[in-house]
Amino acid sequence: MLVGRVQAFRKHTLFRVYNGRVSESPRRPTIALAGGGHANLYTLRRTGELVGRGFDVVLIDPAEHLHYSGMETGVLSGSHEPGENRIDIRCLVERGGGRFVRGRVAEVLYRERALVLEDGLIVPYDAVSFCVGSGTPARDGAIPVKPIANLERVRETLLAPVPDAPRVLVVGGGAAGCEVAANVVGLLRGGKMTLVEAEPDLLPTSPRAARRVMLERLRGPGVEVVLGQNANLQPGAAVLRDGTKIEADLVLAATGVSPPGLFRRSRLATGDDGALWVNRHLQSPNDAGIFGGGDAVAFRGARLPQFGVFAVRQGPVLYHNLQAVLWDEPLRPYKPQNHYLYVLDLGDGTGLAIYGPLTWRGRLALRIKHHIDKRFVKEFS
Ligand SMILES: Cc1cc2nc3c(=O)[nH]c(=O)nc-3n(C[C@H](O)[C@H](O)[C@H](O)COP(=O)(O)OP(=O)(O)OC[C@H]3O[C@@H](n4cnc5c(N)ncnc54)[C@H](O)[C@@H]3O)c2cc1C
């Protein structure tokens, strides 16, 4: 039925999306950017070059701004201003002569080379790069830490004038849960926070020294860390495996991320969890014109660590391959880095830097992080 809709809507859609260009002949090939996530930023910034080379560029995203994740916990704690980490993706595409379409891709009709948006709009493409990120399932009133912009809501809630000091529960003690918890500590104002992790240790995939530092940071007045317990979420509470009930005014879910259902729905090849399967050229095996990067893809079928640093490194490869496939030129392979640096903001003026087996905590680590992050965001302003 959707295929029929494509035929019926194609002309109408071309008018809506490419208003003013319908009569151009021959048609300019369209490069679509589905989601303005970290891996598509490189291409977005070069929209003008693509338009100059004869492509139409269209960005589809429900939001006009991307919240740069490296700085979001700083926005939560107040060390960065709200807005300091926002990248105006609409401006990036429009400044280069491309189009911004507000919407969410719901399905890909890859045989027709068309994207169906949630509102029914259909956007044809010749090549498309998916960078739609991942989400944390939200259940029973818990606020998921992904999309990352949710953390701004958390700050507002914690700073709102209420008679009672807040009780906060963070579920999940991986990098995201720990970093969020460390930055909530300073907003408790006499309240309480509990962090529950199912594994026997925090940061289960990090070096032992990093786990020790994080545990030290999260042990203090009003803060409790519960390890080795599964939390069963209920509205306003969690029940642990041993029957303990932890009540909270604010429950934050940091229980891992999963890709959107759109690739499975579209019958594209996916990894086990529904992430878009891409080969070493970040290309789907179903359609040579489909590429993808960031949290939403399974690289050669397997998930890479879900860090923005991987997405950012994929950007230049996507930019090259989107054009190469339309010019029938050789594609460039993507090679994931073996080691990567990540610095967790501990919310007390120090950072915890982790690089492979190496760990370092200090004020300088956080200063370096702020410097790198601010320089990155500035590149896109
Ligand atoms: C608390 C926390 C802290 C983190 N800190 C760091 C850090 O310091 N360093 C680091 O490297 N990583 C960090 N990460 C991980 C990082 O956030 C992700 O790896 C990164 O955001 C993935 O980028 P992405 O491009 O795949 O997606 P995103 O950056 O999430 O972007 C996805 C984009 O797609 C849009 N979109 C979503 N669905 C659709 C759709 N159906 N159609 C069209 N558009 C859509 C969204 O609006 C958004 O603009 C952190 C994560 C969390 C939760």
Side-chain angles (χ1 to χ4, degrees):
M1 194 180 94
L2 277 170
V3 178
R5 270 169 59 201
V6 179
Q7 306 305 339
F9 278 98
R10 193 165 264 253
K11 203 171 152 204
H12 166 69
T13 304
L14 279 171
F15 180 73
R16 276 185 69 188
V17 179
Y18 304 103
N19 191 5
R21 294 203 174 160
V22 234
S23 60
E24 272 180 23
S25 179
R27 188 175 72 81
R28 290 159 61 95
T30 297
I31 292 181
L33 301 171
H38 291 62
N40 272 344
L41 287 177
Y42 188 92
T43 302
L44 273 170
R45 191 153 69 106
R46 286 159 184 79
T47 300
E49 291 170 23
L50 295 175
V51 170
R53 289 177 196 146
F55 298 108
D56 274 339
V57 178
V58 57
L59 166 66
I60 302 138
D61 200 298
E64 291 183 11
H65 293 94
L66 176 73
H67 290 242
Y68 175 58
S69 58
M71 290 169 73
E72 190 69 30
T73 44
V75 175
L76 169 66
S77 69
S79 59
H80 298 308
E81 292 295 322
E84 231 185 307
N85 71 327
R86 282 182 213 162
I87 296 175
D88 191 334
I89 50 176
R90 175 178 190 155
C91 173
L92 283 179
V93 75
E94 289 184 343
R95 198 165 62 193
R99 295 263 168 172
F100 174 75
V101 176
R102 189 190 303 279
R104 202 178 276 280
V105 179
E107 193 167 352
V108 190
L109 303 174
Y110 64 88
R111 290 194 179 85
E112 285 76 26
R113 290 213 156 150
L115 307 173
V116 185
L117 310 200
E118 273 178 358
D119 64 1
L121 189 71
I122 290 169
V123 180
Y125 67 86
D126 294 283
V128 56
S129 170
F130 281 94
C131 192
V132 290
S134 54
T136 306
R139 282 181 297 136
D140 297 312
I143 300 180
V145 297
K146 269 275 191 166
I148 198 123
N150 285 354
L151 297 183
E152 294 190 16
R153 190 149 56 97
V154 171
R155 177 174 171 82
E156 280 163 24
T157 308
L158 288 174
L159 293 183
V162 282
D164 297 321
R167 296 165 304 168
V168 182
L169 171 64
V170 180
V171 184
C178 285
E179 196 180 20
V180 166
N183 283 278
V184 163
V185 172
L187 306 173
L188 286 176
R189 297 178 301 153
K192 268 185 60 188
M193 181 180 70
T194 310
L195 185 150
V196 181
E197 162 60 40
E199 297 287 327
D201 228 336
L202 294 176
L203 301 177
T205 56
S206 298
R208 193 186 296 256
R211 300 184 212 166
R212 206 177 42 240
V213 169
M214 188 53 84
L215 200 55
E216 235 173 69
R217 164 66 186 125
L218 292 176
R219 285 225 159 113
V223 183
E224 191 187 358
V225 176
V226 179
L227 297 171
Q229 289 272 359
N230 258 316
N232 201 348
L233 285 182
Q234 296 178 351
V239 179
L240 307 185
R241 200 180 38 208
D242 66 5
T244 311
K245 186 171 185 179
I246 302 172
E247 296 195 325
D249 308 300
L250 191 63
V251 181
L252 304 178
T255 45
V257 291
S258 44
L262 95 100
F263 304 116
R264 269 204 179 125
R265 207 178 303 132
S266 310
R267 298 178 191 278
L268 288 161
T270 64
D272 292 343
D273 60 358
L276 178 70
W277 201 105
V278 291
N279 64 17
R280 68 195 187 103
H281 300 119
L282 301 176
Q283 184 183 41
S284 160
N286 298 102
D287 172 6
I290 295 182
F291 296 88
D295 282 8
V297 304
F299 179 66
R300 305 173 89 179
R303 299 308 298 278
L304 295 170
Q306 274 128 51
F307 279 105
V309 288
F310 284 83
V312 169
R313 282 273 286 265
Q314 291 162 345
V317 177
L318 291 168
Y319 175 68
H320 174 89
N321 290 350
L322 284 165
Q323 299 170 81
V325 77
L326 297 176
W327 282 331
D328 215 8
E329 286 182 357
L331 301 183
R332 188 182 288 174
Y334 160 72
K335 196 170 175 312
Q337 56 266 53
N338 289 328
H339 291 300
Y340 52 99
L341 171 72
Y342 65 102
V343 185
L344 299 175
D345 180 346
L346 295 182
D348 61 353
T350 68
L352 172 60
I354 302 170
Y355 184 78
L358 306 175
T359 297
W360 166 46
R361 178 191 190 175
R363 289 190 178 278
L364 185 59
L366 188 63
R367 276 217 294 276
I368 293 172
K369 174 181 169 63
H370 284 174
H371 175 74
I372 296 172
D373 288 343
K374 285 183 177 175
R375 198 182 53 187
F376 182 82
V377 171
K378 206 166 159 212
E379 264 184 53
F380 298 96
S381 61

